Amino acid sequence: MAKAYQILTALKTQLETISTANGYNHTVQSVHIGMRNPDKINDRPTLDLEGQGTDHQYFQGADNTLSTLTVVVRGYVDPTRDAVKQQWDLIQDITSAVSSNITLGLDFVFNLKYDESATDGGLTLLDRYPRMIFVLLTISYEHLATDF
């Protein structure tokens, strides 16, 4: 299995732990790999994950590679409640869930950076779907040069 898909699968599993019973602000109803049509989503709060590409850096004379995977987490909150509070609470839940298990149970080393944002550059999308949030995760990981 490709490392990028392993990371997405492990991230999905970790985000599925977001629930009020586990001390979070929300109970996430579902987590999906891939972006769905926002008009078709009825289970809120819910999260969609999508890998946005992988960059690789090879080390001369070594068998290791440093790769960086960018993951977009798009979340949807309940349109009938206070949207701004829900958005920031969901962003906090996402960052807390991932931070609580930084290895995501995987057997390779990686670092994680967050770009927490309740808005995105695509204003038309957010104007149309004001109950949506975006969290950009940049995951750097080492692996063998032959193991992608």
Side-chain angles (χ1 to χ4, degrees):
M1 179 185 306
K3 294 291 184 190
Y5 189 74
Q6 282 182 293
I7 291 170
L8 284 174
T9 302
L11 189 56
K12 176 183 184 293
T13 300
Q14 185 62 28
L15 292 173
E16 288 171 337
T17 67
I18 296 174
S19 71
T20 54
N22 289 336
Y24 294 97
N25 299 301
H26 292 280
T27 296
V28 170
Q29 300 301 312
S30 60
V31 181
H32 299 268
I33 295 177
M35 296 295 173
R36 295 174 293 158
N37 180 338
D39 292 326
K40 307 281 184 196
I41 295 173
N42 295 317
D43 53 342
R44 295 167 195 254
T46 188
L47 302 173
D48 289 347
L49 309 175
E50 183 173 74
Q52 295 287 309
T54 307
D55 293 324
H56 305 287
Q57 294 179 0
Y58 302 97
F59 299 103
Q60 278 188 332
D63 290 335
N64 287 344
T65 300
L66 178 65
S67 296
T68 302
L69 172 67
T70 301
V71 178
V72 174
V73 180
R74 188 167 72 182
Y76 308 89
V77 296
D78 186 347
T80 63
R81 296 184 20 221
D82 179 11
V84 174
K85 179 171 177 8
Q86 284 188 83
Q87 287 172 323
W88 287 110
D89 285 351
L90 188 56
I91 289 169
Q92 181 183 20
D93 289 346
I94 292 166
T95 55
S96 294
V98 176
S99 297
S100 70
N101 185 0
I102 198 66
T103 66
L104 298 176
L106 299 172
D107 62 352
F108 49 90
V109 176
F110 68 91
N111 295 309
L112 182 62
K113 290 191 311 187
Y114 307 96
D115 179 11
E116 302 171 1
S117 176
T119 62
D120 183 47
L123 292 176
T124 55
L125 184 64
L126 287 174
D127 287 341
R128 186 166 176 204
Y129 303 105
R131 306 294 190 249
M132 190 183 298
I133 59 112
F134 294 87
V135 175
L136 185 65
L137 304 175
T138 304
I139 302 169
S140 299
Y141 55 99
E142 292 181 33
H143 56 94
L144 294 176
T146 57
D147 186 13
F148 290 97

